[in-house]
Amino acid sequence: MNSRPVVALFWEGLNVLKTGRVMLGETNPADSKPGTMHRDFCIQVGRNIIHGNDSVKSAEKEISLWFRPEELVKYKSCAHHWVYE
């Protein structure tokens, strides 16, 4: 994370950890499925372009490293009631 500029994102939503991990792919790009970020944009594990957490606990810890509580904005999409029960 110190070899290039970093963009920190905080995602939230139903099953966001599982969904995020599917989008990222396996840690080793060679083991990832086509269409995932690791498979399409990475070559070696040591030159990873993206990081995602594997648990709520680790996500909470890392979110606190990047963001102050007042920087986290609550957002509810206008389509929320069409998507969620």
Side-chain angles (χ1 to χ4, degrees), residues 4 6 8 10-12 14 16 24 37 44 49 72 74 84:
R4 299 281 188 263
V6 173
F10 168 39
W11 297 346
E12 63 180 344
L14 186 63
V16 71
L24 297 178
M37 293 179 211
Q44 294 180 314
I49 64 157
L72 301 175
K74 281 287 185 187
Y84 300 100

Side-chain angles (χ1 to χ4, degrees), residues 76-85:
K76 187 172 182 179
S77 168
C78 61
H80 184 271
H81 67 280
W82 289 319
V83 177
Y84 300 100
E85 293 182 19

Side-chain angles (χ1 to χ4, degrees), residues 6-67:
V6 173
V7 176
L9 301 173
F10 168 39
W11 297 346
E12 63 180 344
L14 186 63
N15 297 319
V16 71
L17 288 174
K18 181 179 179 183
T19 302
R21 297 302 309 172
V22 170
M23 291 169 50
L24 297 178
E26 300 298 323
T27 301
N28 184 345
D31 297 335
S32 295
K33 294 179 182 176
T36 63
M37 293 179 211
H38 283 151
R39 178 61 175 252
D40 292 353
F41 301 107
C42 297
I43 297 172
Q44 294 180 314
V45 174
R47 295 291 183 201
N48 204 346
I49 64 157
I50 193 161
H51 167 72
N53 294 105
D54 59 355
S55 70
V56 172
K57 185 176 180 177
S58 64
E60 288 171 344
K61 178 183 175 186
E62 291 191 21
I63 289 166
S64 71
L65 296 174
W66 292 95
F67 300 100

